[in-house]
């Protein structure tokens, strides 16, 4: 089950041409694919593009009606290799994944695809996950486009621009026989807006036709001597064809301005933030008008040399706005201008941050610095007649006659970073962590308890929710090398087994990573090399970290996919003999024993511990609405939660150090003799039981209790509750009477005086 269903939204994909389509960016991309007559779509889920796979899965009936084949790929490499269907046949295909990690995985297939070229349109839709909101290393897709000479689109973050980029992406690919990458930034994937639809198209050439009439062209296969001619073909034929298409269809945009001696070159994805920064300097409005000339690169690669020279002619300086490193575009601009001996100076990273998000504040400061050096008059606070805050105001004579307001420099440029820095000193750090009730938390609690007995081991981590065990309070993992590579990254430490070291290395990976890369690169490799390491596979029932998509080991049936293939059978199938299955990770005692046995076993070969429990976040998404509906219908519903007895809690907070659950917090003890706060469970508790289990396994204080809340109780429930209250009341009364009898006698003042 995916974390979000698009079953209702996908019905919009059927709307006729000329309809105003409203929705999210991902939904708009799907509609554009259908309008373009795509023949097949595949990919691998990953933020910020995961929802595209979910939408396509929910739109399966519509895809079948149009004759479009869809499948979720086992990895990004598998998805990229599927584009080979467009090498010999004029069928349009699209793939999608999270970049740059997914592009890393797919790069071998992409390099081969780009070398031989394509006949049908091949579109690679990548979620560009760069910036502070990212979960990966800070790299950009641009390097892959340059390396393999694939064209890269970076449209403005509006639905019409994104939809047009899909249409032009296929056409550009076919015009130049080259795969095209469409880069969608985080904000573009999740923005909402509208565009006017076109008619959905059946594929002009289908996969069925390709199967029935197979063809081959040995010159498209990457083998010598053809492979030596591919590079020449790229430069002499494909590149010029791409440039012609870009110019003829005006994919890049030019915005004229009144300050002709300077200009701004920006990637399409930076358009909105740049306009807002210019707006703060009274140099633009939010409708696209600018007092400074703009050159908007909706095609990030290749740069069109004639367009660059056209824009820079007569300009003293231009500012290149591109996030991140290396500064590919800044270097390329300098190369083009230097080759033609143009006097235009290129600014970029000298006035803008070298890396990180180009927020509106960062862009405003960079623009101010650029204009102070090259066009100071642009910063004079005079409102231009051609640029207004609203389009209607430009026709208002009174508004044009209003006097300009001069603002001091400190008011015009609020010190946002300084304010943020001050706030940061007041707030404690908040590292990422596992969700409330996460079934992975008890795995790491159990590991920490084993660590106390056997000492610290080297731990290789993997991509996924379980990577949060590197953070407090667990602080376990030492490295992470890629999705499904947790086991592989522990390979060198197999020297411990070969060289007689007393300890084993430990590697964690999730079930999604296991099927993506871990089975062959990790477990199979460990068996082949007779490794003595311990591998812990976290089995959440589906690919939890990417949004709950089904995988081969999912324990629920899927009408379109083959599931119910246990991980245990897979690891035994490649030769693992020592396997322990823990079917309920919340049993900290059993989890601890399995890890202890694996780390102390003398049996040769890899040791695999499979820890199973469903992702609590997806489980709550499924169960909470059902319970709410049942309560509303008057049905009896039992809810559980845990709590801490403040009278018993000692206040040492050891339970938090071995748990880390966000619902486990602090509260006043209510006892004047216990001034320190005690542990407390807040209302977010989902009654997973981990806090009590780990307190018991770690031999901590017995202050945790379980409570049951009955919604819509029956007569039996009310009678039983009354009986319990009576019993508890009698016991409490007896306790109070005994306490009163034990009190010391206190004489009166008169008795003392006497």
């Amino acid at each position: 089950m995916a974390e979000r269903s698009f079953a209702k939204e996908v019905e919009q994909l059927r709307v006729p041409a000329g309809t105003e389509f409203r929705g999210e960016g991902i939904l708009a991309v799907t509609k554009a694919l259908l309008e373009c007559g795509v023949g097949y779509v595949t990919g691998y889920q990953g933020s910020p593009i995961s929802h595209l796979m979910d939408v396509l899965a929910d739109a399966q009936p519509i895809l079948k009606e149009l004759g479009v084949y869809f499948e979720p790929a086992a990895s990004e490499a598998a998805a990229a290799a599927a584009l080979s269907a467009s090498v010999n046949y004029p069928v349009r295909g699209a793939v999608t994944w999270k970049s740059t990690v997914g592009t890393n995985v797919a790069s071998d297939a992409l390099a081969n695809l780009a070398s031989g070229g394509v006949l049908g349109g091949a579109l690679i839709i990548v979620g560009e996950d760069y910036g502070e909101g990212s979960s990966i290393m800070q790299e950009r897709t641009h390097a892959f486009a340059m390396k393999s000479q694939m064209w890269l689109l970076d449209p403005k973050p509006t639905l019409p621009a994104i939809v047009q980029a899909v249409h032009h992406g296929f056409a550009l690919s076919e015009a130049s026989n080259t795969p095209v990458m469409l880069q969608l930034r985080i904000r573009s994937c999740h923005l909402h807006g509208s565009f006017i639809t076109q008619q959905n198209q059946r594929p002009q050439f289908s996969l069925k036709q390709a199967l029935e009439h197979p063809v081959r062209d040995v010159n498209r296969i990457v083998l010598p001597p053809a492979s030596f001619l591919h590079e020449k073909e790229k430069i002499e034929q494909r590149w010029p064809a791409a440039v012609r298409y870009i110019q003829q269809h005006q994919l890049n945009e030019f915005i004229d301005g009144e300050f002709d001696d300077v200009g701004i070159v920006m990637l399409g994805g930076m358009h909105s933030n740049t306009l807002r920064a210019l707006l703060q300097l009274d140099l633009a409005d939010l409708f696209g008008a600018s007092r400074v000339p703009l050159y908007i690169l909706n095609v990030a690669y290749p740069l069109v040399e004639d367009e660059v020279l056209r824009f820079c002619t007569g300009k003293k300086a231009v500012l290149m706005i591109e996030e991140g490193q290396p500064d590919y575009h800044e270097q390329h601009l300098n190369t083009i201008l230097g080759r033609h001996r143009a006097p235009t100076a290129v600014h970029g990273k000298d006035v803008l941050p070298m890396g990180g998000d180009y927020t509106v504040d960062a862009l405003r400061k960079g623009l101010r610095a650029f204009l102070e050096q090259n066009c100071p008059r642009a910063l004079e606070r005079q409102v231009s007649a051609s640029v207004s805050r609203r389009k209607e105001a430009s026709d208002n004579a009174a508004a044009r006659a209003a006097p300009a307001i001069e603002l001091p420099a400190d008011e015009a440029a609020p010190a946002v970073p300084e304010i943020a820095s001050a706030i940061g000193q007041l707030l404690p750090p908040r590292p990422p962590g596992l969700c409330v009730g996460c079934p992975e938390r008890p795995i790491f609690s159990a590991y920490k308890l084993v660590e106390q007995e056997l000492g610290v081991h080297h731990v290789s981590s993997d991509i996924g929710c379980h990577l949060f065990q590197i953070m407090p309070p667990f602080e376990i993992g030492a490295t992470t090398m890629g999705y499904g590579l947790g086991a592989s990254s522990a390979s060198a430490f197999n020297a411990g087994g070969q060289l007689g070291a007393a300890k084993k290395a430990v590697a964690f990976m999730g079930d999604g990573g296991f099927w993506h890369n871990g089975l062959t690169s990790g477990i199979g490799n460990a068996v082949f090399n007779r490794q003595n390491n311990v591998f812990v596979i976290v089995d959440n029932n589906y690919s939890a970290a990417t949004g709950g998509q089904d995988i081969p080991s999912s324990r629920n049936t899927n009408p379109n996919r083959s599931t119910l293939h246990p991980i245990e059978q897979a690891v035994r199938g490649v030769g693992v003999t020592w396997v322990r299955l823990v079917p309920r990770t919340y049993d900290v005692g059993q989890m601890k024993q399995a890890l202890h046995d694996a780390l102390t076993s003398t049996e040769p070969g890899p040791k695999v511990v499979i820890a199973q429990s469903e992702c609590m976040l997806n489980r709550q998404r499924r169960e909470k609405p059902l319970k709410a509906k049942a309560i509303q219908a008057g049905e009896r519903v039992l809810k559980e939660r845990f709590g801490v007895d403040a009278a018993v809690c000692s206040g040492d907070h050891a339970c938090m150090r071995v748990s880390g659950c966000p619902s486990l917090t602090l509260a006043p003890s209510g006892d004047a003799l216990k001034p320190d706060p005690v542990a407390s469970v807040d209302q977010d508790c989902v009654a997973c039981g981990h806090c009590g289990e780990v307190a018991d396994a770690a031999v901590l204080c017995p202050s945790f209790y379980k409570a049951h809340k009955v919604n819509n109780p029956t007569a039996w429930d009310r009678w039983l509750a009354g009986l319990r209250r009576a019993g508890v009341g009698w016991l409490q009364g007896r306790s109070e009477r005994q306490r009163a009898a034990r009190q010391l006698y206190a004489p009166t003042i008169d008795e003392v005086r006497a």
Side-chain angles (χ1 to χ4, degrees):
M1 57 169 292
E3 66 179 6
R4 177 181 171 187
S5 172
F6 290 87
K8 293 182 179 179
E9 288 91 335
V10 297
E11 290 303 315
Q12 292 187 78
L13 301 177
R14 301 180 187 273
V15 298
T19 304
E20 184 181 19
F21 186 102
R22 291 186 174 273
E24 196 177 26
I26 293 299
L27 203 62
V29 170
T30 310
K31 181 66 172 74
L33 290 173
L34 300 183
E35 292 176 353
C36 292
V38 68
Y40 63 96
V41 189
T42 182
Y44 194 86
Q45 60 273 359
S47 175
I49 206 75
S50 286
H51 287 168
L52 181 53
M53 296 297 293
D54 299 336
V55 168
L56 290 165
D58 288 337
Q60 194 94 331
I62 301 174
L63 300 181
K64 288 182 178 178
E65 290 173 12
L66 293 171
V68 181
Y69 178 73
F70 164 72
E71 71 172 28
S75 70
E76 296 85 356
L83 286 173
S84 65
S86 297
V87 170
N88 293 312
Y89 306 98
V91 57
R92 289 183 166 183
V95 297
T96 181
W97 55 68
K98 172 191 183 80
S99 193
T100 56
V101 285
T103 313
N104 286 333
V105 176
S107 60
D108 192 15
L110 290 179
N112 281 276
L113 183 73
S115 180
V118 294
L119 181 62
L123 188 64
I124 302 140
I125 305 170
V126 296
E128 188 74 350
D129 198 8
Y130 177 85
E132 292 183 5
S134 170
S135 60
I136 59 169
M137 76 292 289
Q138 295 298 279
E139 293 184 357
R140 297 159 55 197
T141 304
H142 196 96
F144 293 92
M146 294 175 62
K147 175 187 74 69
S148 298
Q149 290 185 312
M150 297 177 289
W151 319 137
L152 176 63
L153 307 183
D154 186 8
K156 293 188 297 185
T158 66
L159 291 199
I162 293 170
V163 168
Q164 283 302 308
V166 174
H167 283 268
H168 284 300
F170 281 117
L172 175 60
S173 175
E174 291 167 347
S176 60
N177 302 117
T178 304
V180 171
M181 306 181 83
L182 171 58
Q183 171 180 295
L184 296 181
R185 300 168 186 254
I186 298 175
R187 294 179 182 88
S188 297
C189 290
H190 301 302
L191 65 86
H192 285 71
S194 64
F195 67 97
I196 303 302
T197 62
Q198 298 181 29
Q199 186 64 42
N200 291 341
Q201 302 289 335
R202 295 184 64 85
Q204 293 184 1
F205 189 90
S206 68
L207 294 175
K208 180 181 178 181
Q209 290 174 279
L211 285 169
E212 293 175 348
H213 306 283
V215 298
R216 60 188 295 271
D217 182 357
V218 70
N219 291 322
R220 297 300 101 205
I221 301 174
V222 187
L223 279 175
S227 57
F228 301 125
L229 301 176
H230 290 168
E231 184 176 17
K232 184 178 180 181
E233 181 182 306
K234 286 180 180 179
I235 302 302
E236 295 181 356
Q237 298 178 33
R238 299 187 208 165
W239 191 312
V243 169
R244 284 194 301 272
Y245 185 92
I246 294 167
Q247 290 180 307
Q248 289 172 2
H249 294 83
Q250 300 178 353
L251 300 190
N252 297 320
E253 300 175 55
F254 294 87
I255 306 296
D256 294 331
E258 59 190 79
F259 302 108
D260 294 332
D261 53 342
V262 293
I264 299 171
V265 184
M266 74 183 81
L267 294 171
M270 299 305 305
H271 178 258
S272 294
N273 276 14
T274 303
L275 273 188
R276 288 184 179 274
L278 288 169
L279 174 67
Q280 291 186 2
L281 297 172
D282 277 347
L283 293 172
D285 65 17
L286 292 181
F287 298 92
S290 172
R291 300 173 66 192
V292 181
L294 307 178
Y295 177 30
I296 304 168
L297 298 174
N298 293 313
V299 180
Y301 182 81
L303 286 186
V304 179
E305 195 161 310
D306 291 344
E307 290 186 355
V308 171
L309 294 173
R310 166 189 158 192
F311 181 74
C312 294
T313 298
K315 289 181 172 55
K316 174 184 176 182
V318 295
L319 174 64
M320 181 66 234
I321 298 179
E322 61 172 329
E323 283 181 326
Q325 284 290 335
D327 51 351
Y328 299 115
H329 291 88
E330 190 174 339
Q331 294 180 36
H332 203 164
L333 283 180
N334 276 304
T335 298
I336 293 173
L337 295 174
R339 182 182 297 134
H340 293 271
R341 299 183 180 180
T344 307
V346 178
H347 294 266
K349 302 298 183 184
D350 55 334
V351 294
L352 288 165
M354 295 291 287
D357 285 324
Y358 276 7
T359 61
V360 174
D361 185 65
L363 287 169
R364 178 184 52 75
K365 289 184 176 180
L367 287 165
R368 176 179 287 277
F370 167 70
L371 293 172
E372 283 176 346
Q373 293 181 42
N374 299 284
C375 189
R377 72 184 191 280
L379 296 173
E380 297 175 0
R381 291 279 170 168
Q382 301 293 330
V383 179
S384 169
S386 63
V387 177
S388 59
R389 298 297 177 124
R390 291 195 59 84
K391 195 172 182 180
E392 295 83 359
S394 64
D395 299 325
N396 192 320
R400 291 199 300 270
I405 300 175
E406 296 289 340
L407 295 177
D410 57 344
E411 293 185 23
V416 175
E418 289 76 5
I419 296 173
S421 177
I423 294 175
Q425 295 175 7
L426 299 175
L427 297 176
R430 188 183 179 187
L434 300 168
C435 300
V436 174
C438 177
E440 300 181 11
R441 183 174 286 107
I443 300 173
F444 307 123
S445 295
Y447 180 84
K448 293 298 286 187
L449 297 177
V450 173
E451 196 177 68
Q452 291 178 0
E453 299 179 23
L454 303 180
V456 178
H457 291 67
H458 174 82
V459 176
S460 296
S461 302
D462 205 324
I463 301 299
C465 299
H466 40 84
L467 184 58
F468 294 144
Q469 41 88 0
I470 68 173
M471 310 299 292
F474 304 116
E475 298 177 319
I476 295 175
T479 58
T480 178
M481 299 305 295
Y483 195 36
L485 295 176
S488 306
S489 58
S491 293
F493 293 95
N494 185 46
Q498 292 185 7
L499 302 179
K503 292 183 178 180
K504 302 180 179 71
V506 181
F508 287 91
M509 78 173 83
D511 46 1
F514 171 81
W515 292 110
H516 178 276
N517 210 357
L519 176 58
T520 53
S521 299
I523 304 301
N525 180 64
V527 171
F528 179 68
N529 287 291
R530 298 182 177 178
Q531 293 183 10
N532 197 35
N533 295 337
V534 174
F535 304 103
V536 182
I537 302 174
V538 182
D539 184 0
N540 293 139
N541 190 27
Y542 30 69
S543 186
T546 59
Q549 293 83 9
D550 279 331
I551 51 179
S553 56
S554 293
R555 293 184 294 282
N556 54 286
T557 58
N558 185 312
N560 299 310
R561 308 285 173 253
S562 178
T563 56
L564 303 172
H565 303 290
I567 291 176
E568 182 178 1
Q569 290 186 11
V571 297
R572 290 190 185 279
V574 295
V576 178
T577 57
W578 197 104
V579 183
R580 295 291 184 274
L581 177 66
V582 181
R584 180 176 174 272
T585 63
Y586 297 104
D587 188 338
V588 177
Q590 185 181 2
M591 194 73 240
K592 176 185 173 185
Q593 188 62 51
L595 292 170
H596 187 280
D597 292 347
L599 288 168
T600 56
S601 173
T602 58
E603 182 178 326
K607 291 40 171 206
V608 174
V609 177
I610 303 171
Q612 290 183 329
S613 273
E614 184 183 3
C615 168
M616 182 59 75
L617 192 61
N618 266 7
R619 179 180 170 185
Q620 291 298 313
R621 285 194 180 108
R622 183 179 68 251
E623 293 183 353
K624 276 187 175 181
L626 296 177
K627 288 183 178 179
K629 185 177 180 180
I631 292 172
Q632 188 175 9
E635 298 178 20
R636 180 184 183 276
V637 176
L638 183 68
K639 288 187 176 181
E640 296 179 341
R641 61 159 297 176
F642 280 74
V644 175
D645 189 336
V648 179
C649 178
S650 64
D652 65 352
H653 309 146
C655 54
M656 297 181 184
R657 292 191 289 273
V658 293
S659 172
C661 181
S663 68
L664 193 58
T665 183
L666 298 175
S669 67
D671 187 343
L673 298 179
K674 294 168 65 175
D676 293 332
V678 296
S680 177
V681 180
D682 65 22
Q683 295 298 317
D684 292 327
C685 174
V686 295
C688 69
H690 171 246
C691 50
E693 290 270 1
V694 73
D696 179 69
V699 197
L700 300 176
C701 64
S703 59
F704 287 92
Y705 65 84
K706 180 190 287 188
H708 295 86
K709 178 183 177 182
V710 181
N711 295 274
N712 302 319
T714 63
W716 167 257
D717 291 320
R718 293 190 181 93
W719 181 85
L720 190 59
L723 181 63
R724 287 169 174 166
R725 280 195 297 269
V728 171
W730 182 83
L731 291 172
Q732 287 179 333
R734 187 183 68 169
S735 177
E736 291 295 332
R737 290 190 295 271
Q738 291 175 347
R739 186 180 298 109
R742 291 195 300 269
Q743 287 181 346
L744 295 176
Y745 174 71
T748 65
I749 295 178
D750 293 338
E751 289 175 332
V752 172
R753 288 175 179 174

